[in-house]
Amino acid sequence: MAENQNRQDPLSPHMISFEQVNKWYGAYHALADVDAHVAKGEVVVVCGPSGSGKSTLIRTVNRLEEIQKGRIVFDGQDIHAPKLDLNHFRARVGFVFQSFNLFPHLSVLDNIVMAPVNVRGARRSDARVRALELLERVGLASKAGAYPGQLSGGQQQRVAIARALAMDPPAMLFDEPTSALDPEMVGEVLQVMKQLARDGMTMICVTHEMGFAREVADRVWFMDHGRLVETGTPDDFFLRPQSPRAQKFLTELRTH
Ligand SMILES: Nc1ncnc2c1ncn2[C@@H]1O[C@H](COP(=O)(O)OP(=O)(O)OP(=O)(O)O)[C@@H](O)[C@H]1O
Ligand SMILES: [Mg+2]
């Protein structure tokens, strides 16, 4: 953690800043003038219609998608700085996808131990102790020796969260972490995310789980056609949506 704190610009209360971010896929304007900040410890839920740019937005943060205009600052680091070690940087951004992408031939424990050892040069014994702590935290201490194929989807996703946490990320990004899960497994993953939020983790979560948004989010970002249309509190968004597009989105959500 000390390492992370050293990187932080002490003058900036922001953990993640999007400054006039623009991205095109060819001629298609996928992100248009996105300007927003995530404070330290803040939980942002990103929602919006399919194709509105939610995944694109969070994937710009660890440069899975490049932007053509604007600036992104993560934990005090301009992510396009020429000297940035991209692999090292990416490993520090906790990213959890819809698909868990665990290594099938490695045990749960080894999945978690790998990045700290290989990317950060942690001692294997230390990394194992930490991995076991993290498995405890996501309720899977008993599965350390299991292989991903022996776990349920919800359990695999919790391992994926533990794996991301093993790099002590200053913030965690989630892209629909529960969308691929059977309904009965959604709750256990949301529970882990809620606990993370309570522990003060800075988070951006793309999710359709509006109950989670209401309960956990400090802010809801509503996107439409590559634009950040609303950035209010959950009460603002759910009770007093300003834009016709957000009103329509919520109406459709409620009728489904
Ligand atoms: N690699 C790509 N090449 C061209 N266009 C792309 C690419 N990736 C995404 N797009 C387009 O950019 C827009 C935003 O896509 P994105 O995946 O960010 O949307 P989303 O809000 O995450 O949608 P969903 O809710 O369906 O996941 C869409 O119109 C999509 O077709
Ligand atoms: Mg998406």
Side-chain angles (χ1 to χ4, degrees), residues 56-103:
T56 303
L57 180 69
I58 67 166
R59 288 164 64 90
T60 61
V61 175
N62 66 354
R63 289 180 53 184
L64 287 172
E65 299 291 352
E66 290 293 356
I67 62 174
Q68 282 76 44
K69 245 173 87 182
R71 198 166 91 108
I72 299 172
V73 181
F74 180 88
D75 192 24
Q77 167 83 61
D78 180 336
I79 70 163
H80 296 101
K83 286 191 200 125
L84 185 86
D85 176 339
L86 191 54
N87 285 334
H88 196 267
F89 170 72
R90 276 194 182 141
R92 289 185 62 243
V93 182
F95 211 116
V96 176
F97 300 88
Q98 187 173 328
S99 53
F100 335 114
N101 297 327
L102 298 174
F103 291 103

Side-chain angles (χ1 to χ4, degrees), residues 25 28 30 48-57 65 175-176 206 208:
Y25 291 112
Y28 183 76
S50 181
S52 56
K54 306 179 297 292
S55 296
T56 303
L57 180 69
E65 299 291 352
D175 193 356
E176 301 202 27
V206 178
H208 298 298

Side-chain angles (χ1 to χ4, degrees), residues 102 108-109 112 131-146 150-163 188-189 192:
L102 298 174
V108 161
L109 192 76
I112 300 173
L132 284 168
E133 281 169 17
L134 290 168
L135 281 173
E136 186 85 51
R137 193 161 158 192
V138 300
L140 290 173
S142 63
K143 299 289 185 188
Q150 299 170 318
L151 303 184
S152 72
Q155 290 171 333
Q156 289 187 56
Q157 191 59 301
R158 286 186 279 152
V159 173
I161 293 172
R163 179 181 57 176
E188 66 195 50
V189 172
V192 166

